[in-house]
Amino acid sequence: MSSQVMFYDLANRQNRGWSLNPWKTRLVLNYKNIDYKTEWVEYPNLVPYLKSLGIPPNDSTAPGYFAAYSSPAIKYADGTYGMDSWPIAHELERQYPEPSLRLDNPINARVRDHIAKLRTPLEPHLIPRVPVVFLNPESAEYFYRTREAKYGIPLPELERTKATEDAWEAAKGPAKEVGDWLRENGGPFFLGQTVSYADFIFLGLLHMIKRIDEKYFQRYLELDESFPRFYEASKKWLERDD
């Protein structure tokens, strides 16, 4: 396999990775030191472009399914395509088995299924900032429109009414669970000194928060004493973000 991997990420003004789901795949590519190039795709172009590549829709019965077409997507070195971070991780592990993601360990599915509980309480703080901090006009318009449909109110109103101290209070319990899992094997990673895909799922969330707002990131790190140590130990895989 001599061809370069093509990685499809969400376009933004900085041309740097920012979103949780693409970060999960980018971190695997960085960890395995796979040669890849990023192609940036604007939000409203994502579905038609991925369809044009011949990628079949996501399996509606798969864990965490939320859309038929989504980012990340990838063109593997052998010319085949994949989509959605979970199956992409498994295929990259098959094609590049070392260093391993330890995908057979149950911690991976545990963290995968827990990530929404970590993110959801803080969405009123985070989501309204996305188009302001990152998005080009065509993606910003799409983002405002689709998220208003999702939340039932415009994003500025979501931020004004729901971005409260109660939201941070609701984030504490799920964060404490993750901290307990990180402590279980002595840290800094979920499997102690051994890296697994679960680390990249959580790291993607932390780094997305950091990219959105540094003060929110610092406050999130304060939710559990294990978080700063974990982030520091993982920083080398964040160095390539383009």
Side-chain angles (χ1 to χ4, degrees):
M1 293 188 295
S2 58
S3 299
Q4 189 177 46
V5 168
M6 182 66 73
F7 175 51
Y8 304 99
D9 202 344
L10 294 169
N12 59 92
R13 295 195 299 272
Q14 300 85 7
N15 278 349
R16 296 171 57 204
W18 66 271
S19 182
L20 165 61
N21 287 323
W23 259 117
K24 295 174 191 174
T25 295
R26 187 181 292 279
L27 287 163
V28 173
L29 293 168
N30 292 349
Y31 171 66
K32 290 180 175 289
N33 198 29
I34 297 168
D35 181 31
Y36 70 95
K37 180 180 179 182
T38 303
E39 183 171 338
W40 303 100
V41 185
E42 299 286 351
Y43 263 108
N45 299 337
L46 191 67
V47 173
Y49 186 59
L50 297 183
K51 283 183 176 179
S52 76
L53 297 175
I55 302 176
N58 288 316
D59 179 0
S60 62
T61 65
Y65 174 87
F66 68 96
Y69 285 87
S70 58
S71 179
I74 195 169
K75 181 181 180 182
Y76 299 107
D78 63 4
T80 61
Y81 290 89
M83 188 169 53
D84 188 70
S85 54
W86 183 254
I88 288 173
H90 284 76
E91 181 59 23
L92 289 173
E93 182 80 344
R94 186 188 71 79
Q95 294 189 20
Y96 308 89
E98 296 297 331
S100 175
L101 296 171
R102 308 298 194 281
L103 288 171
D104 57 342
N105 193 290
I107 190 61
N108 297 292
R110 193 190 312 171
V111 174
R112 177 200 68 195
D113 295 342
H114 191 69
I115 205 76
K117 296 178 184 177
L118 299 174
R119 185 190 66 238
T120 301
L122 295 178
E123 285 182 353
H125 288 276
L126 301 173
I127 298 302
R129 300 289 301 153
V130 167
V132 176
V133 175
F134 301 118
L135 300 184
N136 295 310
E138 59 185 305
S139 284
E141 186 280 329
Y142 174 92
F143 196 87
Y144 278 122
R145 174 167 44 84
T146 56
R147 272 50 182 183
E148 179 176 348
K150 174 182 177 180
Y151 294 108
I153 54 175
L155 288 187
E157 187 68 5
L158 177 72
E159 186 172 33
R160 187 184 71 80
T161 60
K162 303 293 186 182
T164 62
E165 285 301 311
D166 287 344
W168 282 101
E169 194 63 32
K172 288 181 179 178
K176 174 66 163 54
E177 286 187 72
V178 172
D180 289 343
W181 298 340
L182 286 168
R183 278 182 286 275
E184 206 167 272
N185 293 299
F189 306 116
F190 288 105
L191 300 180
Q193 297 292 321
T194 301
V195 175
S196 69
Y197 183 57
D199 300 306
F200 299 140
I201 298 173
F202 184 50
L203 181 60
L205 176 67
L206 289 183
H207 198 61
M208 182 180 73
I209 297 172
K210 181 178 176 65
R211 291 289 328 275
I212 290 173
D213 194 306
E214 180 69 27
K215 70 177 182 295
Y216 291 156
F217 172 67
Q218 293 299 330
R219 184 167 183 181
Y220 199 86
L221 290 186
E222 292 172 1
L223 292 180
D224 195 274
E225 63 185 7
S226 68
F227 292 174
R229 183 184 175 212
F230 168 82
Y231 187 80
E232 189 63 31
S234 307
K235 284 171 70 173
K236 60 186 173 183
W237 298 302
L238 293 163
E239 289 175 0
R240 175 160 182 203
D241 59 3
D242 64 350

